[in-house]
Amino acid sequence: MKQLVILGGGYGGIKVLTGLLGLALPDDVEIIVIDKNPYHSYKTEFHTLVAGTAAEIDLRASFPLHDQVRYEFGEVRKIDHEKSEIYFRNRSTVITYDYLVIGLGCEDAYHGIEGAETFTESVQSFSKARHTAYSVGNLSAYGKVSVVGAGLSGIEAASEIRESRPDLNIRLLDRGGSVLRAFDPKIQAHVSDWFIKNDVEVLHHANVEYVEKDGVCNNGICYVNDVTIWTAGVQPHKIIRELPFEKDQYQKVIVNDYFQVPSHPNIYVIGDNASSFHSPSGQLAGQQGEQVAVILEDVLEGREPKKPKEIRLRGTLGSLGKSDGFGSVFSQSLTGLLPRITKSGVLWLQKRH
Ligand SMILES: Cc1cc2nc3c(=O)[nH]c(=O)nc-3n(C[C@H](O)[C@H](O)[C@H](O)COP(=O)(O)OP(=O)(O)OC[C@H]3O[C@@H](n4cnc5c(N)ncnc54)[C@H](O)[C@@H]3O)c2cc1C
């Protein structure tokens, strides 16, 4: 049997798996899916877990069962790309592979800021988001929360917490002169207005110098607060950073047109860890996963794979609580209820599939 290992059953990995199961999977192939969690996670909704507006069960999906698929649930520690072996933390099991797809997602980047890793909460993994949810949920009345970073996840986290807890003092630290720098000014203005109307303090031109247990020091002023949530940047997974493959300036693996590592074409890298012209997103990871499934079908049958089509993304949608939102869809800027309903519809479709 040929062993195909899918490492990480997130937005990219699940699409490789379901794509292959929907195609003609050769009989002599066993797929081994490895994930630290025994379920697929809807990471794009982790801000709702953090704010207490969604239950855990709403953010999980079962992995599909199939005779040729085996699951190994546990936290991977290391990939030995020379021996084609995968090692776990706290488990002696060693998994070997003939083909490997890496979809491990990203981790927070702290940019060397003192105290940031130790004293901030995170939205980047299920267990970390769960921890953040406890910290926010246990705050006494009028507690103080700072969210560092005003990109998509920071905006969604701050607004969702505001709707969940009107009593809290919420501050959003934005590195730029306007929130959501990558978006259209119409969207930036809508989001800024929402924060003003909903009493979230936004500090622009933030430059966090250090973080302490009880506060954030920014541009020479220390703000005392109870919970600091870090949404100020991500980096590839540690396992990826440790692999000696060629990387881009963001430490992402440079892959060829088939998402293969050029020096090790039996290894595929997708999602947040693969160098791409596009910004990282669940949508990008999913499309790459679908393409890798088609490529692997050919490779597993011994055929030359066809070069995949250029990836076309449909746009980005963001939420401001449950009844307002924003989005850039097919180059159209949308604000208000419509993009919010569309975002819920996209999630509903994802869950259905
Ligand atoms: C709050 C928030 C909101 C977001 N909103 C959006 C949005 O609206 N639209 C959008 O497109 N993107 C959004 N994103 C980004 C999106 O979630 C990621 O880009 C996407 O999940 C990347 O997919 P991936 O397959 O690379 O990794 P992931 O989906 O993160 O999957 C990684 C998988 O690897 C597993 N794993 C990790 N480490 C280990 C290990 N050591 N051992 C075993 N398993 C491991 C994880 O459990 C997980 O299942 C958001 C992100 C956040 C945090």
PDB file of all heavy atoms in Angstrom, residues 217-251:
ATOM      1  N   CYS A 217       2.143  48.386  26.982  1.00  0.00           N
ATOM      2  CA  CYS A 217       2.832  49.664  26.900  1.00  0.00           C
ATOM      3  C   CYS A 217       3.023  50.014  25.435  1.00  0.00           C
ATOM      4  O   CYS A 217       3.627  49.259  24.669  1.00  0.00           O
ATOM      5  CB  CYS A 217       4.154  49.591  27.642  1.00  0.00           C
ATOM      6  SG  CYS A 217       3.825  49.347  29.402  1.00  0.00           S
ATOM      7  N   ASN A 218       2.453  51.144  25.066  1.00  0.00           N
ATOM      8  CA  ASN A 218       2.360  51.525  23.661  1.00  0.00           C
ATOM      9  C   ASN A 218       2.764  52.985  23.504  1.00  0.00           C
ATOM     10  O   ASN A 218       2.200  53.857  24.172  1.00  0.00           O
ATOM     11  CB  ASN A 218       0.896  51.322  23.213  1.00  0.00           C
ATOM     12  CG  ASN A 218       0.645  51.817  21.816  1.00  0.00           C
ATOM     13  OD1 ASN A 218       1.321  51.406  20.889  1.00  0.00           O
ATOM     14  ND2 ASN A 218      -0.316  52.703  21.663  1.00  0.00           N
ATOM     15  N   ASN A 219       3.730  53.221  22.629  1.00  0.00           N
ATOM     16  CA  ASN A 219       4.177  54.594  22.378  1.00  0.00           C
ATOM     17  C   ASN A 219       4.457  55.364  23.670  1.00  0.00           C
ATOM     18  O   ASN A 219       4.049  56.517  23.825  1.00  0.00           O
ATOM     19  CB  ASN A 219       3.122  55.354  21.560  1.00  0.00           C
ATOM     20  CG  ASN A 219       3.221  55.020  20.078  1.00  0.00           C
ATOM     21  OD1 ASN A 219       4.314  54.757  19.563  1.00  0.00           O
ATOM     22  ND2 ASN A 219       2.097  55.021  19.388  1.00  0.00           N
ATOM     23  N   GLY A 220       5.096  54.689  24.630  1.00  0.00           N
ATOM     24  CA  GLY A 220       5.497  55.363  25.872  1.00  0.00           C
ATOM     25  C   GLY A 220       4.410  55.451  26.925  1.00  0.00           C
ATOM     26  O   GLY A 220       4.658  55.954  28.020  1.00  0.00           O
ATOM     27  N   ILE A 221       3.207  54.981  26.629  1.00  0.00           N
ATOM     28  CA  ILE A 221       2.124  55.021  27.632  1.00  0.00           C
ATOM     29  C   ILE A 221       1.718  53.585  27.976  1.00  0.00           C
ATOM     30  O   ILE A 221       1.507  52.772  27.074  1.00  0.00           O
ATOM     31  CB  ILE A 221       0.876  55.781  27.099  1.00  0.00           C
ATOM     32  CG1 ILE A 221       1.261  57.201  26.715  1.00  0.00           C
ATOM     33  CG2 ILE A 221      -0.251  55.786  28.135  1.00  0.00           C
ATOM     34  CD1 ILE A 221       0.153  57.971  26.025  1.00  0.00           C
ATOM     35  N   CYS A 222       1.626  53.278  29.270  1.00  0.00           N
ATOM     36  CA  CYS A 222       1.194  51.927  29.662  1.00  0.00           C
ATOM     37  C   CYS A 222      -0.287  51.955  30.021  1.00  0.00           C
ATOM     38  O   CYS A 222      -0.713  52.741  30.869  1.00  0.00           O
ATOM     39  CB  CYS A 222       2.030  51.433  30.841  1.00  0.00           C
ATOM     40  SG  CYS A 222       3.725  51.083  30.319  1.00  0.00           S
ATOM     41  N   TYR A 223      -1.044  51.114  29.335  1.00  0.00           N
ATOM     42  CA  TYR A 223      -2.489  51.023  29.572  1.00  0.00           C
ATOM     43  C   TYR A 223      -2.744  49.804  30.438  1.00  0.00           C
ATOM     44  O   TYR A 223      -2.389  48.687  30.055  1.00  0.00           O
ATOM     45  CB  TYR A 223      -3.246  50.865  28.250  1.00  0.00           C
ATOM     46  CG  TYR A 223      -3.069  52.051  27.322  1.00  0.00           C
ATOM     47  CD1 TYR A 223      -2.017  52.100  26.416  1.00  0.00           C
ATOM     48  CD2 TYR A 223      -3.961  53.120  27.369  1.00  0.00           C
ATOM     49  CE1 TYR A 223      -1.848  53.188  25.574  1.00  0.00           C
ATOM     50  CE2 TYR A 223      -3.804  54.212  26.530  1.00  0.00           C
ATOM     51  CZ  TYR A 223      -2.744  54.248  25.636  1.00  0.00           C
ATOM     52  OH  TYR A 223      -2.585  55.313  24.819  1.00  0.00           O
ATOM     53  N   VAL A 224      -3.351  50.035  31.586  1.00  0.00           N
ATOM     54  CA  VAL A 224      -3.647  48.917  32.479  1.00  0.00           C
ATOM     55  C   VAL A 224      -4.866  48.175  31.931  1.00  0.00           C
ATOM     56  O   VAL A 224      -5.855  48.812  31.558  1.00  0.00           O
ATOM     57  CB  VAL A 224      -3.939  49.442  33.905  1.00  0.00           C
ATOM     58  CG1 VAL A 224      -4.378  48.306  34.824  1.00  0.00           C
ATOM     59  CG2 VAL A 224      -2.711  50.139  34.455  1.00  0.00           C
ATOM     60  N   ASN A 225      -4.775  46.870  31.798  1.00  0.00           N
ATOM     61  CA  ASN A 225      -5.964  46.111  31.402  1.00  0.00           C
ATOM     62  C   ASN A 225      -5.909  44.683  31.929  1.00  0.00           C
ATOM     63  O   ASN A 225      -4.863  44.233  32.401  1.00  0.00           O
ATOM     64  CB  ASN A 225      -6.191  46.152  29.884  1.00  0.00           C
ATOM     65  CG  ASN A 225      -5.130  45.484  29.095  1.00  0.00           C
ATOM     66  OD1 ASN A 225      -4.059  46.018  28.909  1.00  0.00           O
ATOM     67  ND2 ASN A 225      -5.407  44.283  28.624  1.00  0.00           N
ATOM     68  N   ASP A 226      -7.044  44.020  31.860  1.00  0.00           N
ATOM     69  CA  ASP A 226      -7.155  42.687  32.461  1.00  0.00           C
ATOM     70  C   ASP A 226      -6.794  41.580  31.478  1.00  0.00           C
ATOM     71  O   ASP A 226      -6.214  40.577  31.851  1.00  0.00           O
ATOM     72  CB  ASP A 226      -8.598  42.472  32.951  1.00  0.00           C
ATOM     73  CG  ASP A 226      -9.008  43.539  33.944  1.00  0.00           C
ATOM     74  OD1 ASP A 226      -8.323  43.665  34.969  1.00  0.00           O
ATOM     75  OD2 ASP A 226      -9.986  44.266  33.684  1.00  0.00           O
ATOM     76  N   VAL A 227      -7.197  41.742  30.229  1.00  0.00           N
ATOM     77  CA  VAL A 227      -6.918  40.718  29.217  1.00  0.00           C
ATOM     78  C   VAL A 227      -6.375  41.411  27.965  1.00  0.00           C
ATOM     79  O   VAL A 227      -6.958  42.389  27.492  1.00  0.00           O
ATOM     80  CB  VAL A 227      -8.199  39.925  28.847  1.00  0.00           C
ATOM     81  CG1 VAL A 227      -7.922  38.964  27.692  1.00  0.00           C
ATOM     82  CG2 VAL A 227      -8.737  39.158  30.043  1.00  0.00           C
ATOM     83  N   THR A 228      -5.264  40.897  27.448  1.00  0.00           N
ATOM     84  CA  THR A 228      -4.727  41.410  26.184  1.00  0.00           C
ATOM     85  C   THR A 228      -4.813  40.289  25.151  1.00  0.00           C
ATOM     86  O   THR A 228      -4.318  39.184  25.389  1.00  0.00           O
ATOM     87  CB  THR A 228      -3.250  41.839  26.350  1.00  0.00           C
ATOM     88  OG1 THR A 228      -3.159  42.760  27.440  1.00  0.00           O
ATOM     89  CG2 THR A 228      -2.718  42.498  25.096  1.00  0.00           C
ATOM     90  N   ILE A 229      -5.446  40.570  24.038  1.00  0.00           N
ATOM     91  CA  ILE A 229      -5.584  39.556  22.975  1.00  0.00           C
ATOM     92  C   ILE A 229      -4.682  39.956  21.820  1.00  0.00           C
ATOM     93  O   ILE A 229      -4.734  41.098  21.345  1.00  0.00           O
ATOM     94  CB  ILE A 229      -7.056  39.447  22.513  1.00  0.00           C
ATOM     95  CG1 ILE A 229      -7.955  39.103  23.710  1.00  0.00           C
ATOM     96  CG2 ILE A 229      -7.194  38.401  21.408  1.00  0.00           C
ATOM     97  CD1 ILE A 229      -9.443  39.096  23.386  1.00  0.00           C
ATOM     98  N   TRP A 230      -3.860  39.018  21.379  1.00  0.00           N
ATOM     99  CA  TRP A 230      -2.873  39.297  20.334  1.00  0.00           C
ATOM    100  C   TRP A 230      -3.416  38.894  18.959  1.00  0.00           C
ATOM    101  O   TRP A 230      -3.672  37.719  18.705  1.00  0.00           O
ATOM    102  CB  TRP A 230      -1.596  38.518  20.629  1.00  0.00           C
ATOM    103  CG  TRP A 230      -0.430  38.969  19.806  1.00  0.00           C
ATOM    104  CD1 TRP A 230       0.071  38.378  18.679  1.00  0.00           C
ATOM    105  CD2 TRP A 230       0.384  40.113  20.047  1.00  0.00           C
ATOM    106  NE1 TRP A 230       1.152  39.098  18.205  1.00  0.00           N
ATOM    107  CE2 TRP A 230       1.360  40.173  19.033  1.00  0.00           C
ATOM    108  CE3 TRP A 230       0.382  41.114  21.043  1.00  0.00           C
ATOM    109  CZ2 TRP A 230       2.326  41.173  18.976  1.00  0.00           C
ATOM    110  CZ3 TRP A 230       1.336  42.107  20.972  1.00  0.00           C
ATOM    111  CH2 TRP A 230       2.294  42.133  19.941  1.00  0.00           C
ATOM    112  N   THR A 231      -3.613  39.884  18.098  1.00  0.00           N
ATOM    113  CA  THR A 231      -4.014  39.585  16.711  1.00  0.00           C
ATOM    114  C   THR A 231      -3.118  40.418  15.776  1.00  0.00           C
ATOM    115  O   THR A 231      -3.581  40.956  14.775  1.00  0.00           O
ATOM    116  CB  THR A 231      -5.504  39.928  16.466  1.00  0.00           C
ATOM    117  OG1 THR A 231      -5.721  41.294  16.802  1.00  0.00           O
ATOM    118  CG2 THR A 231      -6.438  39.057  17.271  1.00  0.00           C
ATOM    119  N   ALA A 232      -1.853  40.529  16.167  1.00  0.00           N
ATOM    120  CA  ALA A 232      -0.966  41.455  15.467  1.00  0.00           C
ATOM    121  C   ALA A 232       0.030  40.754  14.554  1.00  0.00           C
ATOM    122  O   ALA A 232       1.165  41.206  14.393  1.00  0.00           O
ATOM    123  CB  ALA A 232      -0.223  42.322  16.482  1.00  0.00           C
ATOM    124  N   GLY A 233      -0.392  39.683  13.953  1.00  0.00           N
ATOM    125  CA  GLY A 233       0.491  39.054  12.966  1.00  0.00           C
ATOM    126  C   GLY A 233       0.658  37.567  13.189  1.00  0.00           C
ATOM    127  O   GLY A 233       0.529  37.074  14.312  1.00  0.00           O
ATOM    128  N   VAL A 234       0.892  36.863  12.088  1.00  0.00           N
ATOM    129  CA  VAL A 234       1.072  35.408  12.145  1.00  0.00           C
ATOM    130  C   VAL A 234       2.348  35.014  11.408  1.00  0.00           C
ATOM    131  O   VAL A 234       2.902  35.801  10.635  1.00  0.00           O
ATOM    132  CB  VAL A 234      -0.143  34.658  11.532  1.00  0.00           C
ATOM    133  CG1 VAL A 234      -1.385  34.821  12.385  1.00  0.00           C
ATOM    134  CG2 VAL A 234      -0.405  35.104  10.106  1.00  0.00           C
ATOM    135  N   GLN A 235       2.768  33.799  11.668  1.00  0.00           N
ATOM    136  CA  GLN A 235       3.934  33.243  10.979  1.00  0.00           C
ATOM    137  C   GLN A 235       3.656  31.764  10.710  1.00  0.00           C
ATOM    138  O   GLN A 235       2.772  31.174  11.337  1.00  0.00           O
ATOM    139  CB  GLN A 235       5.184  33.403  11.844  1.00  0.00           C
ATOM    140  CG  GLN A 235       5.082  32.693  13.183  1.00  0.00           C
ATOM    141  CD  GLN A 235       6.280  32.936  14.082  1.00  0.00           C
ATOM    142  OE1 GLN A 235       7.363  33.256  13.604  1.00  0.00           O
ATOM    143  NE2 GLN A 235       6.108  32.759  15.391  1.00  0.00           N
ATOM    144  N   PRO A 236       4.422  31.159   9.793  1.00  0.00           N
ATOM    145  CA  PRO A 236       4.214  29.723   9.541  1.00  0.00           C
ATOM    146  C   PRO A 236       4.411  28.893  10.811  1.00  0.00           C
ATOM    147  O   PRO A 236       5.063  29.329  11.770  1.00  0.00           O
ATOM    148  CB  PRO A 236       5.272  29.389   8.490  1.00  0.00           C
ATOM    149  CG  PRO A 236       5.534  30.676   7.816  1.00  0.00           C
ATOM    150  CD  PRO A 236       5.405  31.737   8.877  1.00  0.00           C
ATOM    151  N   HIS A 237       3.852  27.713  10.797  1.00  0.00           N
ATOM    152  CA  HIS A 237       3.943  26.784  11.931  1.00  0.00           C
ATOM    153  C   HIS A 237       5.410  26.481  12.236  1.00  0.00           C
ATOM    154  O   HIS A 237       6.242  26.405  11.338  1.00  0.00           O
ATOM    155  CB  HIS A 237       3.207  25.492  11.533  1.00  0.00           C
ATOM    156  CG  HIS A 237       2.854  24.636  12.684  1.00  0.00           C
ATOM    157  ND1 HIS A 237       3.781  23.884  13.366  1.00  0.00           N
ATOM    158  CD2 HIS A 237       1.663  24.415  13.295  1.00  0.00           C
ATOM    159  CE1 HIS A 237       3.184  23.216  14.329  1.00  0.00           C
ATOM    160  NE2 HIS A 237       1.894  23.523  14.312  1.00  0.00           N
ATOM    161  N   LYS A 238       5.695  26.274  13.523  1.00  0.00           N
ATOM    162  CA  LYS A 238       7.082  26.007  13.965  1.00  0.00           C
ATOM    163  C   LYS A 238       7.696  24.818  13.209  1.00  0.00           C
ATOM    164  O   LYS A 238       8.868  24.849  12.820  1.00  0.00           O
ATOM    165  CB  LYS A 238       7.069  25.722  15.469  1.00  0.00           C
ATOM    166  CG  LYS A 238       8.423  25.527  16.091  1.00  0.00           C
ATOM    167  CD  LYS A 238       8.299  25.581  17.611  1.00  0.00           C
ATOM    168  CE  LYS A 238       9.646  25.443  18.302  1.00  0.00           C
ATOM    169  NZ  LYS A 238      10.069  24.062  18.456  1.00  0.00           N
ATOM    170  N   ILE A 239       6.883  23.773  12.989  1.00  0.00           N
ATOM    171  CA  ILE A 239       7.393  22.584  12.287  1.00  0.00           C
ATOM    172  C   ILE A 239       7.879  22.967  10.890  1.00  0.00           C
ATOM    173  O   ILE A 239       8.896  22.467  10.401  1.00  0.00           O
ATOM    174  CB  ILE A 239       6.291  21.497  12.230  1.00  0.00           C
ATOM    175  CG1 ILE A 239       6.049  20.956  13.642  1.00  0.00           C
ATOM    176  CG2 ILE A 239       6.640  20.375  11.253  1.00  0.00           C
ATOM    177  CD1 ILE A 239       4.872  20.013  13.761  1.00  0.00           C
ATOM    178  N   ILE A 240       7.170  23.862  10.265  1.00  0.00           N
ATOM    179  CA  ILE A 240       7.553  24.336   8.928  1.00  0.00           C
ATOM    180  C   ILE A 240       8.806  25.211   9.021  1.00  0.00           C
ATOM    181  O   ILE A 240       9.730  25.079   8.213  1.00  0.00           O
ATOM    182  CB  ILE A 240       6.380  25.164   8.321  1.00  0.00           C
ATOM    183  CG1 ILE A 240       5.236  24.247   7.950  1.00  0.00           C
ATOM    184  CG2 ILE A 240       6.828  26.000   7.138  1.00  0.00           C
ATOM    185  CD1 ILE A 240       5.463  23.429   6.718  1.00  0.00           C
ATOM    186  N   ARG A 241       8.842  26.077  10.006  1.00  0.00           N
ATOM    187  CA  ARG A 241      10.001  26.977  10.140  1.00  0.00           C
ATOM    188  C   ARG A 241      11.285  26.180  10.336  1.00  0.00           C
ATOM    189  O   ARG A 241      12.363  26.610   9.952  1.00  0.00           O
ATOM    190  CB  ARG A 241       9.788  27.950  11.308  1.00  0.00           C
ATOM    191  CG  ARG A 241       8.538  28.831  11.145  1.00  0.00           C
ATOM    192  CD  ARG A 241       8.593  30.108  11.975  1.00  0.00           C
ATOM    193  NE  ARG A 241       8.858  29.946  13.377  1.00  0.00           N
ATOM    194  CZ  ARG A 241       7.950  29.715  14.334  1.00  0.00           C
ATOM    195  NH1 ARG A 241       6.676  29.592  14.014  1.00  0.00           N
ATOM    196  NH2 ARG A 241       8.303  29.615  15.607  1.00  0.00           N
ATOM    197  N   GLU A 242      11.134  24.990  10.957  1.00  0.00           N
ATOM    198  CA  GLU A 242      12.330  24.182  11.226  1.00  0.00           C
ATOM    199  C   GLU A 242      12.773  23.346  10.017  1.00  0.00           C
ATOM    200  O   GLU A 242      13.887  22.816  10.014  1.00  0.00           O
ATOM    201  CB  GLU A 242      12.054  23.245  12.414  1.00  0.00           C
ATOM    202  CG  GLU A 242      12.066  23.999  13.739  1.00  0.00           C
ATOM    203  CD  GLU A 242      11.619  23.160  14.914  1.00  0.00           C
ATOM    204  OE1 GLU A 242      11.147  22.023  14.697  1.00  0.00           O
ATOM    205  OE2 GLU A 242      11.745  23.647  16.047  1.00  0.00           O
ATOM    206  N   LEU A 243      11.928  23.210   9.001  1.00  0.00           N
ATOM    207  CA  LEU A 243      12.322  22.408   7.834  1.00  0.00           C
ATOM    208  C   LEU A 243      13.277  23.215   6.951  1.00  0.00           C
ATOM    209  O   LEU A 243      13.044  24.404   6.725  1.00  0.00           O
ATOM    210  CB  LEU A 243      11.079  22.006   7.033  1.00  0.00           C
ATOM    211  CG  LEU A 243      10.228  20.876   7.625  1.00  0.00           C
ATOM    212  CD1 LEU A 243       8.888  20.771   6.897  1.00  0.00           C
ATOM    213  CD2 LEU A 243      10.971  19.548   7.564  1.00  0.00           C
ATOM    214  N   PRO A 244      14.304  22.563   6.420  1.00  0.00           N
ATOM    215  CA  PRO A 244      15.330  23.325   5.681  1.00  0.00           C
ATOM    216  C   PRO A 244      14.961  23.563   4.215  1.00  0.00           C
ATOM    217  O   PRO A 244      15.851  23.588   3.361  1.00  0.00           O
ATOM    218  CB  PRO A 244      16.556  22.413   5.812  1.00  0.00           C
ATOM    219  CG  PRO A 244      15.987  21.052   5.844  1.00  0.00           C
ATOM    220  CD  PRO A 244      14.652  21.138   6.518  1.00  0.00           C
ATOM    221  N   PHE A 245      13.686  23.717   3.914  1.00  0.00           N
ATOM    222  CA  PHE A 245      13.274  23.967   2.529  1.00  0.00           C
ATOM    223  C   PHE A 245      13.451  25.450   2.212  1.00  0.00           C
ATOM    224  O   PHE A 245      13.475  26.286   3.115  1.00  0.00           O
ATOM    225  CB  PHE A 245      11.806  23.587   2.316  1.00  0.00           C
ATOM    226  CG  PHE A 245      11.496  22.137   2.586  1.00  0.00           C
ATOM    227  CD1 PHE A 245      10.243  21.752   3.046  1.00  0.00           C
ATOM    228  CD2 PHE A 245      12.450  21.150   2.373  1.00  0.00           C
ATOM    229  CE1 PHE A 245       9.944  20.418   3.287  1.00  0.00           C
ATOM    230  CE2 PHE A 245      12.166  19.815   2.611  1.00  0.00           C
ATOM    231  CZ  PHE A 245      10.918  19.453   3.075  1.00  0.00           C
ATOM    232  N   GLU A 246      13.478  25.750   0.904  1.00  0.00           N
ATOM    233  CA  GLU A 246      13.621  27.159   0.512  1.00  0.00           C
ATOM    234  C   GLU A 246      12.359  27.931   0.932  1.00  0.00           C
ATOM    235  O   GLU A 246      11.233  27.457   0.707  1.00  0.00           O
ATOM    236  CB  GLU A 246      13.825  27.270  -0.998  1.00  0.00           C
ATOM    237  CG  GLU A 246      14.340  28.623  -1.382  1.00  0.00           C
ATOM    238  CD  GLU A 246      14.427  28.810  -2.900  1.00  0.00           C
ATOM    239  OE1 GLU A 246      14.299  27.826  -3.657  1.00  0.00           O
ATOM    240  OE2 GLU A 246      14.616  29.963  -3.306  1.00  0.00           O
ATOM    241  N   LYS A 247      12.548  29.103   1.542  1.00  0.00           N
ATOM    242  CA  LYS A 247      11.412  29.873   2.068  1.00  0.00           C
ATOM    243  C   LYS A 247      11.407  31.280   1.473  1.00  0.00           C
ATOM    244  O   LYS A 247      12.436  31.767   1.009  1.00  0.00           O
ATOM    245  CB  LYS A 247      11.537  30.025   3.596  1.00  0.00           C
ATOM    246  CG  LYS A 247      11.894  28.783   4.370  1.00  0.00           C
ATOM    247  CD  LYS A 247      10.677  28.079   4.895  1.00  0.00           C
ATOM    248  CE  LYS A 247      11.002  26.789   5.600  1.00  0.00           C
ATOM    249  NZ  LYS A 247      11.905  26.855   6.712  1.00  0.00           N
ATOM    250  N   ASP A 248      10.240  31.932   1.573  1.00  0.00           N
ATOM    251  CA  ASP A 248      10.160  33.331   1.147  1.00  0.00           C
ATOM    252  C   ASP A 248      10.443  34.243   2.354  1.00  0.00           C
ATOM    253  O   ASP A 248      10.804  33.775   3.429  1.00  0.00           O
ATOM    254  CB  ASP A 248       8.805  33.624   0.476  1.00  0.00           C
ATOM    255  CG  ASP A 248       7.624  33.561   1.456  1.00  0.00           C
ATOM    256  OD1 ASP A 248       7.865  33.473   2.681  1.00  0.00           O
ATOM    257  OD2 ASP A 248       6.472  33.618   0.997  1.00  0.00           O
ATOM    258  N   GLN A 249      10.232  35.543   2.178  1.00  0.00           N
ATOM    259  CA  GLN A 249      10.545  36.498   3.247  1.00  0.00           C
ATOM    260  C   GLN A 249       9.664  36.321   4.488  1.00  0.00           C
ATOM    261  O   GLN A 249       9.998  36.826   5.560  1.00  0.00           O
ATOM    262  CB  GLN A 249      10.385  37.926   2.715  1.00  0.00           C
ATOM    263  CG  GLN A 249       9.000  38.180   2.148  1.00  0.00           C
ATOM    264  CD  GLN A 249       8.804  39.593   1.657  1.00  0.00           C
ATOM    265  OE1 GLN A 249       9.293  40.528   2.239  1.00  0.00           O
ATOM    266  NE2 GLN A 249       8.089  39.748   0.552  1.00  0.00           N
ATOM    267  N   TYR A 250       8.520  35.618   4.327  1.00  0.00           N
ATOM    268  CA  TYR A 250       7.635  35.391   5.473  1.00  0.00           C
ATOM    269  C   TYR A 250       7.858  34.015   6.104  1.00  0.00           C
ATOM    270  O   TYR A 250       7.048  33.547   6.900  1.00  0.00           O
ATOM    271  CB  TYR A 250       6.164  35.515   5.043  1.00  0.00           C
ATOM    272  CG  TYR A 250       5.864  36.822   4.353  1.00  0.00           C
ATOM    273  CD1 TYR A 250       5.607  36.876   2.977  1.00  0.00           C
ATOM    274  CD2 TYR A 250       5.868  38.015   5.070  1.00  0.00           C
ATOM    275  CE1 TYR A 250       5.358  38.075   2.336  1.00  0.00           C
ATOM    276  CE2 TYR A 250       5.618  39.228   4.443  1.00  0.00           C
ATOM    277  CZ  TYR A 250       5.366  39.247   3.079  1.00  0.00           C
ATOM    278  OH  TYR A 250       5.123  40.444   2.451  1.00  0.00           O
ATOM    279  N   GLN A 251       8.940  33.348   5.672  1.00  0.00           N
ATOM    280  CA  GLN A 251       9.265  32.000   6.192  1.00  0.00           C
ATOM    281  C   GLN A 251       8.312  30.925   5.666  1.00  0.00           C
ATOM    282  O   GLN A 251       8.207  29.828   6.232  1.00  0.00           O
ATOM    283  CB  GLN A 251       9.236  31.962   7.730  1.00  0.00           C
ATOM    284  CG  GLN A 251      10.375  32.706   8.384  1.00  0.00           C
ATOM    285  CD  GLN A 251      11.691  31.974   8.188  1.00  0.00           C
ATOM    286  OE1 GLN A 251      11.851  30.826   8.590  1.00  0.00           O
ATOM    287  NE2 GLN A 251      12.628  32.622   7.534  1.00  0.00           N
TER     288      GLN A 251
END
